[in-house]
Amino acid sequence: MRSILKTATAAIGLTALLAGTALAGGLSGELKISLDTSNPAPRATMEKMIADFQQLHPDLKIETTIIDREAYKTQIRNFLTADAPDVATWYAANRMRPYVEAGLFEDVSDLWQEPAIAENLASTKGALTIDGKQWGVPYTYYQWGVYYRKDIFDELGLSEPKTFDEEKANCHKLIDAGKKCYTIGTKYLWTAGGWFDYLNMRTNGFDFHMQLLTGKASWESDEVRATFKNWRDLIDMGGFIDNHTAYSWQEALPFMVKGDAAAYLMGNFAVAPLREAGLSDDQLDFYQFPAINPNVAMAEDAPTDTFHIPANAKNKEAAREFLRYVVSADVQTWINDGKNLGQLPVNAKSSVDKDKFLEQGFAMLSSNSPGGVAQFFDRDAPAEMAKVAMEGLQEFMVKPDNLDNILQRLERARGRIYQ
């Protein structure tokens, strides 16, 4: 998926939305919704959104099930097959492909023919399209980048780096001051995938990165080895916190909150818990992952989260109406504002919240990601390959001397999975 461009316009308010949408009415029966939004802020946002939709359709009985995100990933195939809800959260691009190919997601191309969706969600259509059909709708996307302790940078006389050499120079100064450069929790592997995404896109460019994740390039190539060389520079200097394999991404947050580590390469969903832990916006800031190879254009990770209708859903009429509601301009404005999801709306007529991190992310994705926009390592690669590869990435962070064995293993997996 190439750059996502949006036009921010003023929202006309949730009250007007509710009044207008209420005319739809007429829904009845049960609507079962399964969510993976288990963290406090997204959970509260989804519950409020569903409650508002319930008010519009008083004859509709809504049952919501919220599952821990990591558990959801392992359970989704079972519940789509055995006891499907009517609506389920998931992810765009290759992450939805297994369920499309297994016949477990409903074709919702009819929704994408409606002007309100076709026109206002056009920039995200490609991420929801497989074999010329659309299989869900997006409800949010968000930037990745380096969130850092501005107060620590100021204290040490550091500035936001524009190049990888400047990044490493900052890191040396942080280590000399007794701090780690980066916090990270690789217990669930995907955070290591984020580091590889950025290092590889900055070293070799978006096109090579996508060739690698789709099986068209070799893991044992010189290009990939160059990426790992750049990563090892940070590992060898002691840039990452110790014992990161024991922590989830949330469990790694306190290292940054306490000032033991100065930065976190993460998605914008990390801002809410950092604020809740007591860091002010004067202490927190954000910068785009710096350039490594000046000959490649800057590319970004901007994952898109989605809603789908399972093929075995029982109330598809109500499910379609719920999807229309979720992507409407005003709902998109308020669920993605800084007090809720703290992310970016997918509807071109929505407004980006007056939140400094959202504004920086919107500006970066709109005007400074000419190389392209990736979904994320474990969304752009097939699930089986992503799992094997991310296990290797985690191993590399702990035992970088194992690189040759890791790359051989990943190359064998590429031959097996993409044959």
mmCIF file of all heavy atoms in Angstrom, residues 103-124:
data_model
loop_
_atom_site.group_PDB
_atom_site.id
_atom_site.type_symbol
_atom_site.label_atom_id
_atom_site.label_comp_id
_atom_site.label_asym_id
_atom_site.label_seq_id
_atom_site.Cartn_x
_atom_site.Cartn_y
_atom_site.Cartn_z
ATOM 1 N N GLY A 103 -12.554 -19.061 3.236
ATOM 2 C CA GLY A 103 -13.991 -18.813 3.159
ATOM 3 C C GLY A 103 -14.612 -18.410 4.472
ATOM 4 O O GLY A 103 -15.817 -18.601 4.688
ATOM 5 N N LEU A 104 -13.839 -17.808 5.363
ATOM 6 C CA LEU A 104 -14.328 -17.466 6.700
ATOM 7 C C LEU A 104 -14.711 -15.997 6.848
ATOM 8 O O LEU A 104 -15.324 -15.616 7.844
ATOM 9 C CB LEU A 104 -13.277 -17.836 7.754
ATOM 10 C CG LEU A 104 -12.977 -19.331 7.865
ATOM 11 C CD1 LEU A 104 -11.820 -19.574 8.828
ATOM 12 C CD2 LEU A 104 -14.220 -20.100 8.314
ATOM 13 N N PHE A 105 -14.347 -15.151 5.869
ATOM 14 C CA PHE A 105 -14.758 -13.745 5.874
ATOM 15 C C PHE A 105 -15.755 -13.505 4.740
ATOM 16 O O PHE A 105 -15.616 -14.036 3.641
ATOM 17 C CB PHE A 105 -13.563 -12.804 5.698
ATOM 18 C CG PHE A 105 -12.770 -12.540 6.945
ATOM 19 C CD1 PHE A 105 -11.490 -12.008 6.857
ATOM 20 C CD2 PHE A 105 -13.287 -12.791 8.200
ATOM 21 C CE1 PHE A 105 -10.753 -11.737 8.004
ATOM 22 C CE2 PHE A 105 -12.561 -12.538 9.356
ATOM 23 C CZ PHE A 105 -11.285 -12.010 9.258
ATOM 24 N N GLU A 106 -16.746 -12.687 5.016
ATOM 25 C CA GLU A 106 -17.779 -12.313 4.060
ATOM 26 C C GLU A 106 -17.236 -11.291 3.057
ATOM 27 O O GLU A 106 -16.503 -10.354 3.409
ATOM 28 C CB GLU A 106 -18.951 -11.689 4.839
ATOM 29 C CG GLU A 106 -20.037 -11.068 3.999
ATOM 30 C CD GLU A 106 -21.132 -12.065 3.636
ATOM 31 O OE1 GLU A 106 -20.935 -13.274 3.874
ATOM 32 O OE2 GLU A 106 -22.176 -11.632 3.131
ATOM 33 N N ASP A 107 -17.603 -11.452 1.816
ATOM 34 C CA ASP A 107 -17.319 -10.462 0.788
ATOM 35 C C ASP A 107 -18.229 -9.253 1.028
ATOM 36 O O ASP A 107 -19.458 -9.368 0.997
ATOM 37 C CB ASP A 107 -17.589 -11.077 -0.590
ATOM 38 C CG ASP A 107 -17.430 -10.091 -1.752
ATOM 39 O OD1 ASP A 107 -17.077 -8.925 -1.512
ATOM 40 O OD2 ASP A 107 -17.687 -10.516 -2.888
ATOM 41 N N VAL A 108 -17.620 -8.092 1.296
ATOM 42 C CA VAL A 108 -18.416 -6.877 1.540
ATOM 43 C C VAL A 108 -18.175 -5.841 0.442
ATOM 44 O O VAL A 108 -18.245 -4.634 0.685
ATOM 45 C CB VAL A 108 -18.137 -6.279 2.943
ATOM 46 C CG1 VAL A 108 -18.597 -7.227 4.044
ATOM 47 C CG2 VAL A 108 -16.653 -5.943 3.116
ATOM 48 N N SER A 109 -17.895 -6.313 -0.757
ATOM 49 C CA SER A 109 -17.680 -5.396 -1.884
ATOM 50 C C SER A 109 -18.871 -4.486 -2.116
ATOM 51 O O SER A 109 -18.731 -3.370 -2.616
ATOM 52 C CB SER A 109 -17.380 -6.187 -3.158
ATOM 53 O OG SER A 109 -16.242 -7.009 -3.001
ATOM 54 N N ASP A 110 -20.077 -4.966 -1.747
ATOM 55 C CA ASP A 110 -21.273 -4.135 -1.912
ATOM 56 C C ASP A 110 -21.182 -2.848 -1.102
ATOM 57 O O ASP A 110 -21.616 -1.784 -1.545
ATOM 58 C CB ASP A 110 -22.526 -4.928 -1.524
ATOM 59 C CG ASP A 110 -22.454 -5.489 -0.116
ATOM 60 O OD1 ASP A 110 -21.447 -6.160 0.220
ATOM 61 O OD2 ASP A 110 -23.407 -5.272 0.664
ATOM 62 N N LEU A 111 -20.591 -2.925 0.088
ATOM 63 C CA LEU A 111 -20.427 -1.717 0.895
ATOM 64 C C LEU A 111 -19.488 -0.727 0.207
ATOM 65 O O LEU A 111 -19.698 0.496 0.260
ATOM 66 C CB LEU A 111 -19.881 -2.064 2.281
ATOM 67 C CG LEU A 111 -20.798 -2.848 3.214
ATOM 68 C CD1 LEU A 111 -20.091 -3.128 4.532
ATOM 69 C CD2 LEU A 111 -22.096 -2.086 3.468
ATOM 70 N N TRP A 112 -18.458 -1.244 -0.432
ATOM 71 C CA TRP A 112 -17.481 -0.392 -1.084
ATOM 72 C C TRP A 112 -18.008 0.221 -2.378
ATOM 73 O O TRP A 112 -17.351 1.085 -2.973
ATOM 74 C CB TRP A 112 -16.187 -1.162 -1.345
ATOM 75 C CG TRP A 112 -15.409 -1.393 -0.089
ATOM 76 C CD1 TRP A 112 -15.566 -2.417 0.802
ATOM 77 C CD2 TRP A 112 -14.367 -0.563 0.438
ATOM 78 N NE1 TRP A 112 -14.683 -2.289 1.846
ATOM 79 C CE2 TRP A 112 -13.931 -1.165 1.647
ATOM 80 C CE3 TRP A 112 -13.747 0.598 -0.007
ATOM 81 C CZ2 TRP A 112 -12.913 -0.618 2.423
ATOM 82 C CZ3 TRP A 112 -12.723 1.144 0.766
ATOM 83 C CH2 TRP A 112 -12.322 0.547 1.964
ATOM 84 N N GLN A 113 -19.191 -0.203 -2.812
ATOM 85 C CA GLN A 113 -19.851 0.436 -3.952
ATOM 86 C C GLN A 113 -20.672 1.644 -3.520
ATOM 87 O O GLN A 113 -21.074 2.462 -4.354
ATOM 88 C CB GLN A 113 -20.770 -0.572 -4.654
ATOM 89 C CG GLN A 113 -20.046 -1.781 -5.240
ATOM 90 C CD GLN A 113 -19.015 -1.400 -6.283
ATOM 91 O OE1 GLN A 113 -19.282 -0.597 -7.170
ATOM 92 N NE2 GLN A 113 -17.824 -1.982 -6.180
ATOM 93 N N GLU A 114 -20.933 1.756 -2.227
ATOM 94 C CA GLU A 114 -21.721 2.882 -1.721
ATOM 95 C C GLU A 114 -20.853 4.138 -1.706
ATOM 96 O O GLU A 114 -19.718 4.100 -1.224
ATOM 97 C CB GLU A 114 -22.238 2.563 -0.319
ATOM 98 C CG GLU A 114 -23.166 1.355 -0.288
ATOM 99 C CD GLU A 114 -23.575 0.939 1.122
ATOM 100 O OE1 GLU A 114 -23.189 1.661 2.079
ATOM 101 O OE2 GLU A 114 -24.256 -0.095 1.260
ATOM 102 N N PRO A 115 -21.340 5.268 -2.218
ATOM 103 C CA PRO A 115 -20.512 6.475 -2.339
ATOM 104 C C PRO A 115 -19.841 6.912 -1.041
ATOM 105 O O PRO A 115 -18.675 7.337 -1.063
ATOM 106 C CB PRO A 115 -21.509 7.531 -2.835
ATOM 107 C CG PRO A 115 -22.539 6.735 -3.575
ATOM 108 C CD PRO A 115 -22.674 5.436 -2.817
ATOM 109 N N ALA A 116 -20.537 6.806 0.086
ATOM 110 C CA ALA A 116 -19.975 7.271 1.355
ATOM 111 C C ALA A 116 -18.707 6.508 1.725
ATOM 112 O O ALA A 116 -17.816 7.054 2.385
ATOM 113 C CB ALA A 116 -21.011 7.135 2.469
ATOM 114 N N ILE A 117 -18.622 5.254 1.317
ATOM 115 C CA ILE A 117 -17.425 4.453 1.587
ATOM 116 C C ILE A 117 -16.457 4.531 0.414
ATOM 117 O O ILE A 117 -15.259 4.758 0.599
ATOM 118 C CB ILE A 117 -17.811 2.991 1.908
ATOM 119 C CG1 ILE A 117 -18.549 2.945 3.259
ATOM 120 C CG2 ILE A 117 -16.589 2.083 1.916
ATOM 121 C CD1 ILE A 117 -19.004 1.562 3.671
ATOM 122 N N ALA A 118 -16.959 4.372 -0.790
ATOM 123 C CA ALA A 118 -16.096 4.354 -1.974
ATOM 124 C C ALA A 118 -15.274 5.633 -2.094
ATOM 125 O O ALA A 118 -14.084 5.593 -2.442
ATOM 126 C CB ALA A 118 -16.945 4.161 -3.230
ATOM 127 N N GLU A 119 -15.888 6.772 -1.807
ATOM 128 C CA GLU A 119 -15.199 8.051 -1.970
ATOM 129 C C GLU A 119 -14.334 8.408 -0.762
ATOM 130 O O GLU A 119 -13.207 8.881 -0.915
ATOM 131 C CB GLU A 119 -16.227 9.157 -2.220
ATOM 132 C CG GLU A 119 -17.015 8.963 -3.520
ATOM 133 C CD GLU A 119 -18.189 9.925 -3.646
ATOM 134 O OE1 GLU A 119 -18.288 10.860 -2.807
ATOM 135 O OE2 GLU A 119 -19.002 9.741 -4.570
ATOM 136 N N ASN A 120 -14.843 8.170 0.425
ATOM 137 C CA ASN A 120 -14.168 8.659 1.620
ATOM 138 C C ASN A 120 -13.131 7.703 2.189
ATOM 139 O O ASN A 120 -12.307 8.091 3.023
ATOM 140 C CB ASN A 120 -15.199 9.003 2.698
ATOM 141 C CG ASN A 120 -16.125 10.107 2.258
ATOM 142 O OD1 ASN A 120 -15.728 11.014 1.531
ATOM 143 N ND2 ASN A 120 -17.380 10.052 2.687
ATOM 144 N N LEU A 121 -13.168 6.433 1.761
ATOM 145 C CA LEU A 121 -12.198 5.459 2.237
ATOM 146 C C LEU A 121 -11.300 4.963 1.107
ATOM 147 O O LEU A 121 -10.624 3.946 1.237
ATOM 148 C CB LEU A 121 -12.910 4.261 2.883
ATOM 149 C CG LEU A 121 -13.290 4.379 4.362
ATOM 150 C CD1 LEU A 121 -14.317 5.478 4.595
ATOM 151 C CD2 LEU A 121 -13.810 3.056 4.884
ATOM 152 N N ALA A 122 -11.273 5.689 0.018
ATOM 153 C CA ALA A 122 -10.568 5.226 -1.188
ATOM 154 C C ALA A 122 -9.104 4.901 -0.930
ATOM 155 O O ALA A 122 -8.562 3.944 -1.492
ATOM 156 C CB ALA A 122 -10.697 6.278 -2.288
ATOM 157 N N SER A 123 -8.441 5.662 -0.069
ATOM 158 C CA SER A 123 -7.004 5.465 0.143
ATOM 159 C C SER A 123 -6.697 4.141 0.829
ATOM 160 O O SER A 123 -5.565 3.665 0.783
ATOM 161 C CB SER A 123 -6.425 6.611 0.975
ATOM 162 O OG SER A 123 -6.995 6.632 2.264
ATOM 163 N N THR A 124 -7.686 3.533 1.475
ATOM 164 C CA THR A 124 -7.447 2.276 2.198
ATOM 165 C C THR A 124 -7.989 1.064 1.462
ATOM 166 O O THR A 124 -7.834 -0.064 1.940
ATOM 167 C CB THR A 124 -8.099 2.331 3.594
ATOM 168 O OG1 THR A 124 -9.523 2.461 3.450
ATOM 169 C CG2 THR A 124 -7.566 3.494 4.405
#
